[in-house]
Amino acid sequence: MSETRVQGADVKTAHQDLHSEQGALRGEHPGSSRNPLIKVADLAWLEFEKPDLDRAEVFARDFGFGIAARTERELWLRGTFAGSPCMVIRCGRTSRFIGPVFRAAERPDLDRLARATGSDVRDADVPGGGKAVDLLDPSGFPVRVVHCGERLPALPEQQPLLLNFGTAHRRTETTQRPPREPSRIQRLGHLVLETRVFARALDWYLDTLGMIVSDFLFLDGQRDRGPVMAFIRCDLGSAPADHHTLAMHLGPGTGYVHSAYQVTDLDSIAAGGEYLKERGYQRSWGIGRHIHGSQLFDYWRDPDRFMLEHFADGDLFSSDVEPGWAPMSTSGLAQWGPPATRDFLGASPSPQRVRDVIQALRGANEMDPERLRGLLKAAKS
């Protein structure tokens, strides 16, 4: 399982002056596993079910996805980058998130993972074929690890605008007129999940998939109880990786929070947002720039109320950068931008949310009255 850090608070760490004001204290979670089963290379795609694939395709095109494949029962969405699709939506009775699919770095990783977990390596249901291992994380999410034999070819890009800075005039004798069109998705960036068993789920992703933590968040006055959120990246060694490919936080529910998709630049985010607004979609929060990960962001709701994010210009860390530690707060979500909305925070009361809280407080998990009060305090701070 995950190792125990013995580092003192006065020891200088690689994260200082980079992305966090604080590092780990003695005995706190190290943010990595000593001997993970494998090290996944990236998120491959996300899997959903929805009853209306035609409506899902309309939103997908408006949001900026390309269509990789479409049948009567399946819709495969892609970005412009070469590689795997971003998302598969299968026809189902209700709208629901199924689970994430991660990409194995090498084909033998699947055999190693299958032996260690008592699973089987099977044919992957993906355009172009491949192999997969199916797992279940401690929160109950189906997690699939795949190695695909065929990569989707690259598509034409939405070109970044040429900008003038101070006396650096790179654009003269011409105007800037970004077209009012959908943001062109380049790739799937990250997934955020809520769980009642945060500590167990965190260790599972570190120990099983070899992921590492970029930043921990803790509740005010409860740091001694451990973190309640982690931004987790893939361990690619000396090669830079996204600040987070997966983020998880403790909460009364268990489920999908949002997923994020990279676009070219700020103009792509803004012009694409105007396009979505004109077509009647609901912005959840944006436009702004995050603190943890530094991404430019804009959050939207699809017709089934799933939250999706356009982002650009995120942080990239090698494996040398150690985890940062910071208190959880709403004000700590962004460097600039409008205040976080109740919709984004999930703070609007609903019968389902009330049921989640009651069930969580009665169940055998990490939610208790002190944790709940701390989360409510963080949402208001």
Side-chain angles (χ1 to χ4, degrees):
M1 295 295 289
S2 300
E3 62 186 0
T4 301
R5 178 179 293 248
V6 294
Q7 181 171 279
D10 57 340
V11 176
K12 294 290 184 182
T13 60
H15 73 84
Q16 289 176 329
D17 299 323
L18 261 180
H19 73 284
S20 176
E21 295 180 358
Q22 303 181 52
L25 303 177
R26 183 180 296 276
E28 288 186 318
H29 199 295
S32 62
S33 176
R34 179 176 298 168
N35 188 28
L37 294 180
I38 66 169
K39 293 184 178 182
V40 294
D42 204 352
L43 264 176
W45 63 85
L46 305 178
E47 300 198 345
F48 292 82
E49 283 186 358
K50 296 188 177 186
D52 191 338
L53 293 189
D54 291 335
R55 185 174 72 167
E57 182 175 346
V58 170
F59 173 80
R61 292 183 184 275
D62 288 343
F63 193 73
F65 290 107
I67 307 302
R70 172 70 197 267
T71 69
E72 185 179 346
R73 305 292 300 175
E74 291 185 344
L75 173 63
W76 289 85
L77 307 178
R78 62 161 299 172
T80 58
F81 285 1
S84 63
C86 297
M87 184 188 299
V88 57
I89 305 173
R90 296 188 173 90
C91 192
R93 296 181 61 184
T94 61
S95 294
R96 65 188 186 108
F97 174 64
I98 303 300
V101 179
F102 290 87
R103 178 168 61 86
E106 299 177 347
R107 171 62 182 82
D109 285 345
L110 297 185
D111 299 319
R112 186 178 308 112
L113 189 61
R115 286 194 303 269
T117 60
S119 307
D120 297 319
V121 179
R122 63 169 185 82
D123 291 334
D125 180 16
V126 57
K131 297 294 183 179
V133 173
D134 291 321
L135 307 169
L136 198 67
D137 81 0
S139 303
F141 288 115
V143 175
R144 184 171 300 159
V145 182
V146 300
H147 188 269
C148 299
E150 183 178 321
R151 291 165 56 88
L152 295 172
L155 297 178
E157 288 290 324
Q158 199 168 34
Q159 295 301 312
L161 296 185
L162 191 63
L163 303 179
N164 289 329
F165 297 100
T167 59
H169 299 154
R170 300 188 297 163
R171 176 179 56 81
T172 60
E173 311 296 348
T174 185
T175 60
Q176 292 279 42
R177 300 293 186 270
R180 190 69 59 85
E181 63 182 8
S183 303
R184 202 168 303 171
I185 300 299
Q186 295 175 325
R187 65 183 180 95
L188 167 63
H190 63 259
L191 168 69
V192 180
L193 299 173
E194 179 178 355
T195 175
R196 299 171 183 168
V197 289
F198 170 80
R200 286 171 49 205
L202 171 65
D203 282 342
W204 187 89
Y205 281 96
L206 305 191
D207 294 333
T208 307
L209 304 186
M211 305 182 82
I212 55 180
V213 175
S214 296
D215 280 288
F216 283 117
L217 300 186
F218 57 89
L219 294 176
D220 183 40
Q222 298 185 33
R223 181 165 180 170
D224 60 328
R225 294 192 62 185
V228 293
M229 185 167 186
F231 297 90
I232 310 164
R233 68 186 185 275
C234 295
D235 182 357
L236 304 184
S238 61
D242 286 338
H243 173 271
H244 56 285
T245 296
L246 173 68
M248 290 190 303
H249 68 80
L250 178 66
T254 298
Y256 170 97
V257 178
H258 76 259
S259 52
Y261 304 86
Q262 181 177 293
V263 300
T264 301
D265 58 11
L266 179 57
D267 278 281
S268 176
I269 292 175
E274 291 299 304
Y275 184 90
L276 288 168
K277 184 170 65 175
E278 289 172 354
R279 278 149 183 79
Y281 297 109
Q282 178 194 344
R283 173 180 270 131
S284 182
W285 182 36
I287 299 172
R289 186 181 281 277
H290 281 305
I291 291 179
H292 300 291
S294 304
Q295 300 95 337
L296 296 162
F297 66 82
D298 196 18
Y299 294 90
W300 293 84
R301 294 282 186 181
D302 77 358
D304 297 288
R305 299 291 300 160
F306 288 107
M307 190 189 301
L308 292 86
E309 175 190 2
H310 284 143
F311 81 92
D313 190 34
D315 293 337
L316 299 168
F317 290 168
S318 73
S319 61
D320 294 331
V321 178
E322 298 184 12
W325 287 71
M328 176 181 277
S329 68
T330 296
S331 61
L333 291 173
Q335 302 176 43
W336 57 262
T341 64
R342 291 179 63 85
D343 179 75
F344 174 81
L345 296 171
S348 300
S350 68
Q352 181 59 53
R353 201 59 172 168
V354 172
R355 287 192 292 269
D356 286 343
V357 170
I358 294 172
Q359 188 175 12
L361 293 178
R362 289 176 175 175
N365 55 66
E366 297 169 30
M367 282 297 298
D368 57 39
E370 183 185 25
R371 284 304 209 192
L372 180 60
R373 285 192 295 269
L375 290 169
L376 292 174
K377 179 181 177 181
K380 297 176 182 179
S381 61

